[in-house]
Amino acid sequence: SVLVRNIPLHMTVDDLRKKFEKFGELRDVYIPRDYYTQRSRGFGFIEFRDARDADEAIYQLDKTSIDGREINVCLSKEGRKTPRDM
């Protein structure tokens, strides 16, 4: 999985998908939300079907801007957590 930090709080899963799908087929896009407010926590996860596509997305998008915010794109150390893990 790819971790995307510092995304705009108004960004949706579809917005994030559009930004990353040009690098390859996506398996999952997830933006964690605050449990109480349901607002975005400012980061998201992208899972590509092919790891080479993830590497290309990281290379092309790390340190770029979305709506004036510089995003940080890197390989995630963990995948998406299930409700049981939280």
Side-chain angles (χ1 to χ4, degrees), residues 57-72:
I58 291 167
Y59 178 77
Q60 294 288 331
L61 294 177
D62 189 35
K63 306 291 186 208
T64 60
S65 290
I66 299 177
D67 292 344
R69 295 178 74 142
E70 184 180 286
I71 60 171
N72 175 264

Side-chain angles (χ1 to χ4, degrees), residues 28-86:
D28 189 31
V29 178
Y30 176 61
I31 298 176
R33 302 208 168 270
D34 180 270
Y35 180 79
Y36 297 104
T37 66
Q38 295 302 305
R39 292 181 56 196
S40 168
R41 295 177 59 198
F43 63 94
F45 295 95
I46 313 289
E47 188 175 345
F48 285 89
R49 290 210 182 271
D50 188 328
R52 292 172 294 193
D53 296 335
D55 292 338
E56 183 64 20
I58 291 167
Y59 178 77
Q60 294 288 331
L61 294 177
D62 189 35
K63 306 291 186 208
T64 60
S65 290
I66 299 177
D67 292 344
R69 295 178 74 142
E70 184 180 286
I71 60 171
N72 175 264
V73 184
C74 59
L75 278 179
S76 172
K77 298 203 183 344
E78 298 179 12
R80 180 176 179 171
K81 291 184 178 180
T82 65
R84 181 176 288 153
D85 295 334
M86 294 183 179

Side-chain angles (χ1 to χ4, degrees), residues 6-24:
N6 202 34
I7 60 174
L9 298 179
H10 63 81
M11 186 166 233
T12 66
V13 167
D14 287 337
D15 295 336
L16 203 54
R17 180 182 306 279
K18 287 176 190 164
K19 188 80 172 165
F20 282 83
E21 68 186 356
K22 60 186 166 192
F23 297 102

